[in-house]
Amino acid sequence: MHSPLAGQIALVTGASSGIGSGVATALADAGARVAINYHAHAEPAEKLAAAITARGGDAFAVGADVSDEAQVDAMFDAVVKRFGTVDIVVANSGLQKDAKFTALTLADWRTVIETNLTGQFLTAQRAVREFERRGPRDVSKALGKIICMSSVHEVIPWAGHVNYAASKGGIQMMMKSLAQEVAPQRIRVNGIAPGAIRTPINRDAWDTQEKLERLLKLVPYGRIGEVEDIGRAAVWLASDESDYVVGTTLFVDGGMTLYPGFADNG
Ligand code: BGC
C-alpha cells in the first residue's frame, strides 16, 4: 500500500461521521496514526478506531466539543500523551442549523459560528502551538500541516443558511490569514471546500431519486461526491506531495462552483 504519511500523526475533529470519518480513514490508510475526535457520539468514533486498528493501523477516539477552549486543550493533551505529538490537524467539525433569515434564532446563529468557525480557530491555534513546542521532525518537510474543512459556501451564497455560509466565508479568511502568518515557520495551512458529498448533513438533498436529480443540476460532473473524494484530497494536502501548496482552498465539488446555470447560454 502507498504510505505517503508513514510515521506521521494526525488529528481529525468531527470524525465520528461524514466527511471527518472519511478523512480519518484515508489518512490512516496512507500510513498516519490517527486521533478521531467526536463530540456527541463516542460509539461510531470508537468503532472507526477499532476498524483502523484491526487492519494494522493505529487510532483512538477522543471526545471534545471544539467550541470549548478547555476541551480543545484536553483533546490535544490526550493526543500528545498517546502519540507524542501531532503533524497533521484537520479542523473538520461542522454543523448546519438552517432557517429562513427572519426565523433564525440567535442561539442557532451562535451554535453554528461557535462550532464551525471558533472551533477551527481553537483547533488551529493549539495545532500551531504544538508544532512550535516540539520543533522539526524528520517525517515531513513541513513543521506541521493544518487543513481547514470549508465548503463551496465559502464563495456560493446560500439563502436559508446564512449562519452556515457566514461561518464558511470566515473559515476562508481565517485559513488564508493564518497561512500567511505561519508559513515562515514552515507550517502549511490549506482548506478543502467540498461540494455536495453524500453524508448525513445533507441527506435531505439526495435521499430520493427526485431530490438527487435536482441536486445534480448543480453539479456539472454529474454525480454526487463521496467522502473518499475528500479523503484523497486531504491525504494529498497533508503529504509532502503538496509541499509548495500554502494558503489555498482546494475545491472538491464536481464543478459546483463553475456557475452551472450559465452552461446553456445563461
Ligand atoms: C453543505 C451541504 C450541501 C453542500 C453543497 C455543504 O457545505 O453542508 O449541506 O449539500 O455544501 O451545497
Side-chain angles (χ1 to χ4, degrees), residues 96 98 150-153 156 158 161 164 168 194-197 199 201-203 205-206 215 218 256:
Q96 289 181 215
D98 310 328
S150 183
S151 163
V152 290
H153 298 295
I156 302 179
W158 205 12
H161 309 257
Y164 183 84
K168 296 299 182 178
I197 309 299
T199 71
I201 207 173
N202 61 358
R203 183 180 302 281
W206 52 261
L215 175 65
L218 299 174
M256 191 175 236

Side-chain angles (χ1 to χ4, degrees), residues 209-223:
Q209 191 56 30
E210 199 189 334
K211 287 186 206 165
L212 184 63
E213 273 165 27
R214 191 165 1 117
L215 175 65
L216 292 183
K217 291 202 174 96
L218 299 174
V219 186
Y221 201 58
R223 71 166 172 87

Side-chain angles (χ1 to χ4, degrees), residues 42-170:
E43 205 194 314
E46 274 155 12
K47 268 194 179 162
L48 179 58
I52 289 169
T53 308
R55 49 177 199 275
D58 192 357
F60 78 107
V62 54
D65 172 352
V66 294
S67 70
D68 182 308
E69 191 166 24
Q71 292 189 41
V72 174
D73 281 338
M75 171 174 73
F76 274 84
D77 288 347
V79 176
V80 171
K81 190 167 173 225
R82 171 76 182 245
F83 289 144
T85 186
V86 65
D87 305 289
I88 300 156
V89 172
V90 183
N92 168 78
S93 300
L95 46 81
Q96 289 181 215
K97 297 261 178 203
D98 310 328
K100 188 173 177 293
F101 188 67
T102 47
L104 181 56
T105 63
L106 180 58
D108 282 355
W109 169 267
R110 283 194 173 134
T111 301
V112 170
I113 297 293
E114 279 171 19
T115 299
N116 297 13
L117 183 56
T118 308
Q120 290 208 11
F121 156 64
L122 290 171
T123 302
Q125 188 182 58
R126 268 48 181 190
V128 172
R129 288 181 185 165
E130 173 55 21
F131 301 156
E132 288 175 342
R133 181 196 68 80
R134 57 105 167 113
R137 277 171 27 95
D138 61 8
V139 294
S140 172
K141 290 178 180 159
L143 183 69
K145 281 90 47 161
I146 298 172
I147 299 172
C148 297
M149 199 58 69
S150 183
S151 163
V152 290
H153 298 295
E154 73 169 42
V155 293
I156 302 179
W158 205 12
H161 309 257
V162 165
N163 48 357
Y164 183 84
S167 75
K168 296 299 182 178

